Amino acid sequence: MDGLGEGFSVALDPTNILYVFLGVLIGTVIGVLPGLGPTATIALLLPITYELEPTSSVILLAGIYYGSMYGGTITSVLLRLPGEAASVVTVFDGHQMAMQGRAGPALGIAAVGSFIGGTLSVVGLILLAPPLADLAVQFGDPEYVALTAFGILLVTYLGTKHPVKALCMAALGLLLATIGRDLVTGTSRFTFDQVELFDGLDFVAVAMGLFGVGEILYNLEKTEKAEQIKSKVKNIWPSRRDFRDSSGAIARGSVLGFFLGVLPGGGGVISSLASYGMEKRRAKDPSRFGKGAIEGVAGPETANNASSTSAFVPLLTLGIPPNVVLALIYGALLIQGITPGPQLIDNNPEIFWGVIASMFIGNLMLLALNIPLVGFFVQLLRVRAGILAAFALLITMAGVFSVNNDVFDMWVVLVFGIIGWLMKKTGFEPGPLVLAFVLGAILEESFRRSMLLSGGEFSIFFTRPMSGTLFAVMALVVLYSSVMGIRRRRQRSQLPGVAEEELRATGLEAEPEGTAGVAATSGRTDGRADDDGVPGTGGGSTRAGGDRP
């Protein structure tokens, strides 16, 4: 309670209140606009963190993250075009409610569920984070090797559409992290005698290139047409019956979203998909889903907001970002000279508790902003994509130059922007690359110290209880996922006359956590889910017809 009191004294500072407001407002706007997303926006805003206090910068970036979760709901309901990947499930019933003249209650229950889920998740964060940090203080270098490897594996292998491609990108990220001076010997590695590379690649330049320029180029090619609701949005505050019908879904979504958000590779996409599937399976009449069931909006929206808050648990306590957006926030703290981890509560309590307290305030602001300003946010969709792209590119280049006043960083942005665009075009996701790039330094340093401690014996990773358990769990995850993938392929091959395209057409395709521009208009045109309750998912997969469990 003392820590939380200190956090509110920090968060209620007028300057920080302003940054909370700016964060949730920007988050809502970029959630509304298809083609942007929290990842690209946070990447573009990284240079600003140099000029802000560490607490204020994290408060701003956190507000953008959980604020974007609701912004995507508005376009999902009104336009059948999710502005954020985690809101793709809301299309199924939210748009059907809008077609029936109930767009207001759909948006209202999403706002209320988001507020409840986010608030309860903050409470869980308060209760879980300090004891977890106390446990993590006992971690040694072998445990950090296992933990970072476990985080990279789960995010790349389970949280993406193509595990093999994602693992390749993670390996490339680890390779890029070795550029520069050797941590132990001080010799130069992969610098090609370029003085600019002696300190390694700048994280800001890499992130802004892959997610800023790369996303801009990729989204300029998209031609999705919004199916706009012509009638005026009214009666936004849900009725008593709406609250009664959705109360159970909100409660279950809060709990489910919290625990899935804590896990590496969980995040808003998987949380919302899992919540939708749970609600349909529990329903007395599952046929209502896909036809305007309010539970199909309340549950997923609550879950994805709860998960966006609980994702800060492993970041702030273990120093392990569970998804790409948190990896960027991790990088923002590193820029400030602060390393998230077990010592953060003791060394920088104002950051830890200030960010947590700001989430209470941010959720209240989201509730106050989104219910009366729905019409205003929808009007933002009239801004042409070309204007947004040109403006974002200008900010990107000016921002990256301002960090180090180095033209070389601008070239790095352009090169990685083209690489990011080509990766998206060919199905290689940039998220695992950035995550591995951020964690690569921790992994290498801990691994080499472990080798020095053990005299070069790899047994140190398996004989210690915690690290050995984590490596065993990693092996079981890969084995289980591989076996289930083989079983699914065999079952699919036994379905006569059903093509892969037809299987994909049973649902929508969602992109990874933190991305934007979800292809919500592919496949079915009636917004309904498949017979399994979750469209095109097999538990952890976010793509129709996925191969993993």
Side-chain angles (χ1 to χ4, degrees), residues 157-203:
Y157 198 72
L158 297 182
T160 55
K161 296 186 285 187
H162 305 289
V164 176
K165 290 182 177 180
L167 288 173
C168 291
M169 290 299 97
L172 178 60
L174 291 175
L175 177 62
L176 293 175
T178 63
I179 294 176
R181 296 188 183 276
D182 186 280
L183 296 172
V184 177
T185 64
T187 57
S188 299
R189 304 179 298 188
F190 307 114
T191 59
F192 305 102
D193 294 327
Q194 296 291 321
V195 177
E196 294 86 354
L197 291 176
F198 282 0
D199 291 328
L201 290 170
D202 187 73
F203 168 76

Side-chain angles (χ1 to χ4, degrees), residues 9-161:
S9 68
V10 172
L12 291 174
D13 180 87
T15 302
N16 287 331
I17 289 179
L18 175 62
Y19 285 121
V20 173
F21 175 77
L22 288 176
V24 297
L25 179 62
I26 294 172
T28 303
V29 170
I30 61 103
V32 167
L33 294 172
L36 292 176
T39 308
T41 305
I42 289 174
L44 295 178
L45 293 177
L46 280 177
I48 297 178
T49 60
Y50 276 103
E51 306 299 329
L52 301 180
E53 291 293 326
T55 305
S56 300
S57 64
V58 179
I59 284 174
L60 173 67
L61 298 180
I64 293 173
Y65 180 35
Y66 59 79
S68 67
M69 294 298 172
Y70 184 79
T73 307
I74 297 174
T75 50
S76 294
V77 172
L78 299 181
L79 309 178
R80 202 173 181 273
L81 187 65
E84 221 289 318
S87 297
V88 67
V89 184
T90 311
V91 168
F92 305 138
D93 288 280
H95 189 69
Q96 288 297 310
M97 289 182 66
M99 296 292 288
Q100 299 164 12
R102 286 173 46 79
L107 293 171
I109 202 66
V112 173
S114 298
F115 170 74
I116 294 174
T119 303
L120 292 179
S121 191
V122 174
V123 175
L125 175 59
I126 293 171
L127 297 175
L128 181 61
L132 189 60
D134 292 339
L135 175 64
V137 170
Q138 305 174 17
F139 280 13
D141 288 311
E143 284 74 22
Y144 268 99
V145 171
L147 196 61
T148 51
F150 189 50
I152 293 172
L153 175 73
L154 287 183
V155 171
T156 55
Y157 198 72
L158 297 182
T160 55
K161 296 186 285 187

Side-chain angles (χ1 to χ4, degrees), residues 394-407:
L394 180 64
I395 293 176
T396 300
M397 302 310 293
V400 75
F401 179 77
S402 67
V403 173
N404 298 314
N405 294 326
D406 192 351
V407 177

Side-chain angles (χ1 to χ4, degrees), residues 151 154-156 158-160 260-267 270 321-323 513 540 542:
L154 287 183
V155 171
T156 55
L158 297 182
T160 55
L260 288 180
V262 170
L263 298 176
I270 293 183
N323 58 52
E513 175 76 5
T542 60

Side-chain angles (χ1 to χ4, degrees), residues 341-352:
Q343 303 296 332
L344 184 66
I345 297 180
D346 295 327
N347 297 340
N348 303 99
E350 74 283 356
I351 295 178
F352 181 85

